[in-house]
Amino acid sequence: MEKISNLILPVIVVVIVVFGAVKKINVFDCFIEGAKKGLVTFTNILPVLTALIVAVGMMRGSGGLDLITKIFSPIAKLLGIPIQVLPLCIISPISGSGSIAVFEDILRNYGPDSIAGRVASVIAGSSETTLYTTTVYYGSVGITRTRHTIPSALIADLVNFVISSLIVKITFA
Amino acid sequence: MISYVWLSLIVFSFIAAIINGTFYELSASIISSGTDAVQLCIKLLGMLCLWSGLMNIAEKSGLTNLISKLFSPLFSLLFPRLKNNKHIMGPVSMNITANLLGLGNAATPLGIEAMKRMKEVSPLDRTASNEMIRFVVLNTAAIHIFPTTVAVLRQSYGSANPFDIVIPAWISSMVTLSCGLLMTRLLERERWKR
């Protein structure tokens, strides 16, 4: 499995570049043009991340994060989710940048190869911001009665947290 | 929404500092957080540019289109009522493909276009149709072929193998996605045929 994992990125890079060349595209210029867009994204997310990292840092510094974690820890234990990952579970349906901030905090404090670090990685790699997506998509077409959208999506998120914890325990334990 | 979350995090931190007597730690974390944010963004910047560059090639060369065509029979299964409607299924499969490739910025406008076209055929005015719900849920549980941000951050914190979570993440998102779709099916009782 590890060998396959190591193959994914190189294969993606080669396939994209070679396919581009076969289609007679100036791959280098095209890459540069796209990479500039990365810079735009960077300037867009820096202020947002600053705001959220300050808030998460304050929560950790003041001990507020520990307080929240303690409150929710019985539920987490019941579902098999490592308690260190709880802050990520709470913020991930609400804010994408918030998730990055909390995810980084978990990696810094527990290490990327700890159980908590790995569960957080799997969750961060397999979820989208439920509430943001819902708001943008329905907002754009003026729909206010979303019926069972949010319950379905949030239940899926909860399943994601449980499954991610379970998979990490099976794969890496 | 995020505005309230941010406000409550800050206010709650202050209250927690009163309870725990941790004003020194709170001050220290406020000062260091600004630097942390910049460092985090710098860490992500390289991969952000690399990925945007690669995806620009994929888009211009028609690779994204090709993948979207390859997958479209699968997407038709999810939207049986719309499968013969190319006008709608076009943006739908492009949107799902863009999500798959981690092209968040490209996926959103395509998704909005798909929603608009679904609304045109929906008899309900301000109420979501079953197809719309399924589509939105699909978007909230997107599978990423390569979770770049996660890999970069894992590497920067010294992971022995930053990529070893990729396959577990695929499995997890596929299970999540199936559950989401199953939930929409189960909660669909209220028919919108009228």
Side-chain angles (χ1 to χ4, degrees), chain A residues 30 33 51 104 112-113 118, chain B residues 6 56 60 154 157 160 164 172:
Chain A
C30 196
E33 186 193 296
E104 202 219 8
D113 294 331
R118 281 200 163 114
Chain B
W6 195 59
N56 196 41
K60 292 270 158 70
R154 284 176 60 76
Y157 280 101
D164 63 6
S172 184

Side-chain angles (χ1 to χ4, degrees), chain A residues 55-110:
Chain A
V56 172
M58 285 174 75
M59 282 294 280
R60 174 165 293 284
S62 65
L65 205 62
D66 295 333
L67 227 65
I68 297 236
T69 313
K70 261 186 207 135
I71 297 169
F72 286 97
S73 64
I75 307 173
K77 264 196 196 120
L78 195 71
L79 297 172
I81 303 168
I83 50 167
Q84 301 91 325
V85 182
L86 271 179
L88 182 63
C89 301
I90 297 168
I91 198 131
S92 85
I94 305 166
S95 155
S97 304
S99 304
I100 296 181
V102 174
F103 175 52
E104 202 219 8
D105 192 65
I106 293 171
L107 292 184
R108 186 202 313 244
N109 286 289
Y110 309 107

Side-chain angles (χ1 to χ4, degrees), chain A residues 1-2 4-6 8-9 12-13 15-17 19-21 23 25-39 41-42 45-46 49-65 67-68 71 91 94-95 98 100-101 103-104 107-108 111-113 117-118 120-122 124-134 136-138 140-153 155-157 159-161 163-164 167-168 171-172, chain B residues 1-2 5-6 8-10 12-14 16-17 19-20 22 25-26 29-30 33-34 36-45 47-63 66 95 99 105 107-108 110-112 115-116 119 124-130 132-133 135-137 139-142 144-147 149-150 153-154 157-161 163-173 175-176 179-180 183-185 187-192:
Chain A
M1 188 128 118
E2 205 173 299
I4 304 173
S5 295
N6 291 340
I8 300 164
L9 188 55
I12 294 175
V13 174
V15 166
I16 291 174
V17 176
F19 189 88
K23 290 277 170 178
I25 279 188
N26 186 334
V27 281
F28 190 77
D29 288 355
C30 196
F31 179 90
I32 302 297
E33 186 193 296
K36 277 186 194 153
K37 287 184 210 153
L39 213 54
T41 315
F42 170 78
I45 63 168
L46 178 61
L49 276 176
T50 308
L52 289 157
I53 284 181
V54 169
V56 172
M58 285 174 75
M59 282 294 280
R60 174 165 293 284
S62 65
L65 205 62
L67 227 65
I68 297 236
I71 297 169
I91 198 131
I94 305 166
S95 155
I100 296 181
F103 175 52
E104 202 219 8
L107 292 184
R108 186 202 313 244
D113 294 331
R118 281 200 163 114
S121 305
V122 173
S126 63
S127 60
E128 281 289 325
T129 327
T130 301
L131 297 179
Y132 171 80
T133 310
T134 314
V136 170
Y137 280 22
Y138 283 132
S140 68
V141 288
I143 279 176
T144 45
R145 282 198 62 217
T146 62
R147 296 169 59 207
H148 52 276
T149 311
I150 293 189
S152 304
I155 288 171
D157 281 339
V159 169
N160 183 22
F161 306 147
I163 292 293
S164 300
I167 289 179
V168 168
T171 324
F172 301 106
Chain B
M1 178 75 191
I2 189 63
V5 173
W6 195 59
S8 17
L9 286 176
I10 289 175
F12 187 81
S13 304
F14 193 79
I19 299 170
N20 299 330
T22 47
E25 288 85 348
L26 183 58
S29 65
I30 294 174
S33 296
D36 289 349
V38 176
Q39 279 174 349
L40 171 65
C41 285
I42 297 285
K43 274 176 200 161
L44 295 177
L45 177 60
M47 204 59 176
L48 213 58
C49 286
L50 172 67
W51 209 243
S52 312
L54 285 174
M55 287 307 154
N56 196 41
I57 300 179
E59 236 174 295
K60 292 270 158 70
S61 63
L63 186 62
L66 185 76
N95 162 272
N99 270 322
N105 295 331
T108 309
L110 286 164
I112 292 172
M115 289 294 280
K116 280 188 183 141
K119 190 161 191 275
L124 305 165
D125 185 28
R126 305 184 70 80
T127 305
S129 67
N130 290 344
M132 289 179 189
I133 294 173
F135 181 66
V136 172
V137 169
N139 264 283
T140 64
H144 298 299
I145 288 188
F146 197 81
T149 310
V150 174
L153 288 179
R154 284 176 60 76
Y157 280 101
S159 168
N161 186 347
F163 315 115
D164 63 6
I165 50 85
V166 175
I167 293 174
W170 287 353
I171 301 172
S172 184
S173 38
V175 175
T176 305
C179 280
M183 284 312 298
T184 61
R185 195 46 118 200
L187 299 171
E188 230 167 49
R189 272 164 290 143
E190 200 182 333
R191 296 283 167 216
W192 59 285

